Amino acid sequence: MARSNDEVAALFQEYADLISITGGDAFRARVYEKAARAIGGHHADVAGLDVKGLQEIPNVGRSIAEKITEYFRTGSVAAVEELRARIPAGVRRLTAIPTLGPKKALVLYEELGISSVEELTEAIQGERLRDLKGFGPKTEQNILHGIELLRSAGDRVLLDVALDLATDIVAVLSGTAGCGRCAYAGSLRRVKETIGDLDVLAAADDSGPLMKAFTELPYADEVIAHGTTKTSIRTTKGLSVDLRVVPPDSWGAALQYFTGSKAHNIRTRERAVHHKLKLSEYGLFDAESGEKIVSETEEEVYARLGLPWIPPTLREDRGEIEAGLRGELPDLVTEADLRGDLHTHTDLTDGLAPLQEMVAAAAERGYAYYAITDHGPDMAMQRMTDERMLAQRERVRELDGTYGKGRGMRLLHGAELNIGPDGDVDWPAEFLAGFDLCVASVHSHFTQDRAAMTRRLVRACENPYVDIIGHPTTRLIGRRPGIDADLDAVFAACARTGTALEINAHPDRLDLRDEDILRAKRHGVKFAVNSDAHSTLHLANMRYGIGTAQRGWLTGDDVINTWPLTRLRRFLRQGRPAR
Ligand code: DGT
Ligand code: CA
Ligand code: CA
Ligand code: ZN
């Protein structure tokens, strides 16, 4: 994973924001925004490319390529620094508030001198924003909500950032002398949607070399605590990491303990007490004699508590203990069960890679089928036309059966429709009938009231050509709240009309979220775990979607893209008039 690509992408995104804040050319801001996305999605590490190589990346011209080499040569980009210097850091932080954005942030700074989140909160409480042009009581409310969202996300990081870092740390420690076993535990092992800190566990008789290697990691910014059993660092990414080193024969008990969740552990400890045992990170002991009973593997620990091994994604005290005792734990869906991806884009709309590259990358993942679902014409920015869509279909038919194992990967031609404010979608029935499948998603009018939003989604479900509702709540974790709708009514409509709900696997979205999945499943809804890939790299985001599906207790039978193609096609055809 090329982390330098993310660094450069973030830098250019910031530059684009700075251009907008300082009232610069909107077109120019767009250029840097597009470059940021292209670099973030590029498969090769940009740190290793020269100006010529960089220019082969789509949307990267000479001037941008030179800024990238400048960045790796000097550690900064003069043009970016110059704009940074013109805007107080506080104002730039304002742009991070969901629903605010650079233009409004600048108005607040220029008109009211607001340069921090605290000052902004005060101004809203004093109702001082509503008199500004382009603001009103409703804007004040929205901004206040955005501030809350930012605060609640706090210093937690998204899954992909945490996983990249944890993978690296585990690799380094595993290669350190004397390390028996090493793994990450905590919320990351449970695949929670955001991660507060990393909890890394290692087994060794002598913790010295491991602790030393840990504090010497290149991204260890600060050593917060240093001991023989636990050491904590803060990384340059802002994320803290705890390393615990335990004796090898305590591995299972320690892994169980530090995986959590706290709520789950309270329940397992209760079980232990019930069996006259004592459970700690060092093992399961006889409460009276103090004699150690088991501790080497998690399986042994659970078995002695009268439980089967419980998958980490279920360990939230949401009924997993009871289900385990009854022998009714779900046979959770896994990434290996996936036979295809049903929501992906190409450069015909806002994807980065051409059709053929996306298809080739999908085949690499061993899929049996793969759907291409570019945006319809209602998202005007995408410039879609009937002709362009039909031309793509022809190309898809040509490529069908030319990739994958035994060239057997089947291609489905679909679209991601836009659900308009009234629940209408891009095309009339005659045109929709030509698609193998349609995903339909909300992309605008996020603030409709609850009744209107519910009606809108239910109408989309009732469209016989809509097979999947894409990113159903449209939330962006820590950046945009989900829409306000009566989700139970939407779930009931999905079950009734045979419309699947998407679990969008992008780590910024994870939409539906775990708790809503659990609720929807009770309504009898089926799901599709989709990457919504806009580049070949995004196809691998499936792991986050599968983790989320597991947290919603889903089995393979619940997830339509684990099904054989014949069963999937039957599902897609239901409700459609016979052709
Ligand atoms: P996070 O870091 O906020 O994303 O969430 P976790 O679950 O990783 O929580 P963290 O890092 O505070 O602790 C890791 C695990 O260690 C936690 O899931 C369970 C265990 N643990 C930590 N402190 C306690 C405690 O006071 N009591 C119990 N029973 N378990 C604890
Ligand atoms: Ca943690
Ligand atoms: Ca921790
Ligand atoms: Zn999409």
Side-chain angles (χ1 to χ4, degrees):
M1 189 72 215
R3 243 177 255 142
S4 36
N5 292 25
D6 294 337
E7 252 171 66
V8 174
L11 187 75
F12 284 141
Q13 181 57 53
E14 184 191 345
Y15 191 48
D17 289 344
L18 286 168
I19 293 172
S20 312
I21 299 179
T22 51
D25 182 2
F27 174 76
R28 212 161 149 257
R30 274 287 289 161
V31 166
Y32 281 97
E33 212 160 76
K34 277 168 133 171
R37 289 193 40 215
I39 292 159
H42 192 61
H43 53 85
D45 189 342
V46 290
L49 298 177
D50 59 10
V51 171
K52 201 153 158 277
L54 288 166
Q55 280 180 262
E56 279 165 27
I57 304 173
N59 299 320
V60 174
R62 177 157 197 102
S63 144
I64 291 178
E66 282 170 350
K67 285 190 178 67
I68 299 173
T69 55
E70 180 189 351
Y71 177 71
F72 288 115
R73 209 173 49 244
T74 68
S76 64
V77 175
V80 180
E81 294 306 322
E82 192 190 307
L83 283 192
R84 274 182 179 167
R86 280 168 52 187
I87 299 290
V91 178
R92 278 190 276 128
R93 271 197 294 278
L94 291 184
T95 63
I97 298 172
T99 72
L100 192 56
K103 287 230 172 62
K104 283 203 167 72
L106 186 68
V107 172
L108 292 174
Y109 176 59
E110 287 182 337
E111 301 285 322
L112 300 176
I114 293 173
S115 65
S116 72
V117 177
E118 290 69 36
E119 285 169 7
L120 178 56
T121 314
E122 273 172 35
I124 293 174
Q125 278 155 1
E127 303 188 346
R128 289 194 284 132
L129 262 55
R130 56 185 64 186
D131 301 328
L132 295 175
K133 188 160 175 282
F135 291 75
K138 177 104 183 165
T139 335
E140 287 180 346
Q141 274 313 307
N142 287 343
I143 295 174
L144 212 52
H145 195 79
I147 293 174
E148 274 164 28
L149 206 66
L150 193 69
R151 290 241 162 88
S152 69
D155 295 327
R156 302 184 69 83
V157 307
L158 297 180
L159 261 182
D160 54 340
V161 175
L163 183 65
D164 276 358
L165 192 63
T167 306
D168 202 86
I169 294 173
V170 168
V172 170
L173 295 180
S174 298
T176 303
C179 180
R181 308 186 65 163
C182 184
Y184 57 80
S187 49
L188 181 60
R189 185 162 179 244
R190 304 197 313 277
V191 203
K192 229 180 130 170
E193 63 190 36
T194 60
I195 304 300
D197 74 352
L198 292 180
D199 301 278
V200 178
L201 193 65
D205 292 312
D206 174 12
S207 68
L210 283 165
M211 296 306 189
K212 184 165 183 295
F214 184 58
T215 53
E216 285 173 357
L217 287 169
Y219 36 81
D221 208 22
E222 186 193 339
V223 177
I224 305 166
H226 196 162
T228 53
T229 57
K230 177 180 170 184
T231 293
S232 302
I233 59 169
R234 182 161 16 254
T235 66
T236 47
K237 300 254 169 200
L239 189 62
S240 298
V241 189
D242 294 338
L243 170 65
R244 278 129 178 149
V245 181
V246 298
D249 67 355
S250 298
W251 175 257
L255 188 59
Q256 198 283 327
Y257 183 89
F258 291 113
T259 296
S261 66
K262 223 166 171 169
H264 175 85
N265 285 0
I266 290 171
R267 297 298 309 280
T268 50
R269 246 173 323 169
E270 275 171 15
R271 294 284 314 156
V273 171
H274 185 77
H275 287 256
K276 304 212 176 341
L277 302 168
K278 188 173 158 291
L279 179 60
S280 77
E281 64 264 51
Y282 295 106
L284 192 57
F285 302 87
D286 186 295
E288 251 171 49
S289 67
E291 184 199 346
K292 184 189 275 201
I293 298 178
V294 288
S295 62
E296 254 188 81
T297 69
E298 278 195 338
E299 283 81 355
E300 286 173 345
V301 171
Y302 280 107
R304 274 317 189 91
L305 300 175
L307 289 164
W309 179 80
I310 297 178
T313 43
L314 295 185
R315 300 184 194 172
E316 299 289 347
D317 191 21
R318 291 179 183 153
E320 72 277 11
I321 303 277
E322 292 76 6
L325 289 172
R326 289 196 307 269
E328 289 173 4
L329 283 174
D331 183 9
L332 295 179
V333 61
T334 67
E335 204 175 352
D337 295 336
L338 287 176
R339 291 185 204 237
D341 196 331
L342 301 179
H343 179 176
T344 71
H345 296 270
T346 74
D347 62 0
L348 183 62
T349 55
D350 56 352
L352 294 167
L355 173 65
Q356 198 156 347
E357 274 178 33
M358 291 301 288
V359 171
E364 286 286 309
R365 293 181 55 81
Y367 286 147
Y369 48 81
Y370 180 74
I372 297 96
T373 57
D374 273 313
H375 291 285
D378 282 3
M379 289 186 66
M381 255 174 47
Q382 313 292 346
R383 295 162 207 256
M384 180 54 75
T385 62
D386 295 8
E387 293 70 36
R388 285 158 68 93
M389 206 41 143
L390 294 174
Q392 184 189 55
R393 184 172 304 158
E394 234 167 85
R395 208 45 211 122
V396 166
R397 300 299 181 225
E398 282 165 20
L399 290 175
D400 186 14
T402 63
Y403 278 89
K405 234 182 291 153
R407 298 175 180 265
M409 188 175 80
R410 299 303 310 268
L411 297 181
L412 303 175
H413 189 242
E416 181 179 13
L417 307 172
N418 181 56
I419 305 176
D422 299 320
D424 293 331
V425 297
D426 309 53
W427 280 293
E430 309 84 76
F431 196 84
L432 294 178
F435 288 109
D436 298 319
L437 93 167
C438 293
V439 179
S441 332
V442 167
H443 297 105
S444 64
H445 301 84
F446 300 117
T447 54
Q448 275 182 327
D449 68 44
R450 192 176 170 87
M453 190 61 89
T454 307
R455 248 190 336 267
R456 176 182 184 185
L457 285 167
V458 169
R459 266 204 75 203
C461 291
E462 285 169 347
N463 186 319
Y465 296 99
V466 169
D467 303 298
I468 300 170
I469 302 293
H471 43 75
T473 75
T474 78
R475 66 135 175 201
L476 294 173
I477 299 173
R479 284 192 285 147
R480 185 169 71 207
I483 50 171
D484 184 18
D486 177 356
L487 288 182
D488 283 296
V490 176
F491 298 160
C494 285
R496 176 166 51 82
T497 58
T499 309
L501 284 165
E502 179 171 85
I503 298 171
N504 191 295
H506 198 290
D508 292 352
R509 291 190 184 271
L510 297 176
D511 183 10
L512 279 183
R513 71 191 318 154
D514 50 9
E515 284 155 20
D516 293 333
I517 296 169
L518 271 165
R519 263 165 72 202
K521 179 173 164 149
R522 279 186 224 116
H523 284 270
V525 179
K526 296 295 180 195
F527 302 83
V529 180
N530 290 330
S531 72
D532 191 5
H534 285 69
S535 87
T536 53
L537 285 182
H538 292 162
L539 292 171
N541 283 339
M542 279 297 203
R543 54 154 78 105
Y544 309 114
I546 287 291
T548 304
Q550 292 188 347
R551 290 177 61 82
W553 289 55
L554 298 192
T555 67
D557 189 55
D558 296 318
V559 179
I560 64 173
N561 50 324
T562 68
W563 296 352
L565 185 59
T566 42
R567 184 177 175 197
L568 174 66
R569 283 204 195 272
R570 220 178 309 131
F571 179 87
L572 298 175
R573 270 199 310 268
Q574 68 182 323
R576 289 189 179 207
R579 311 181 65 201

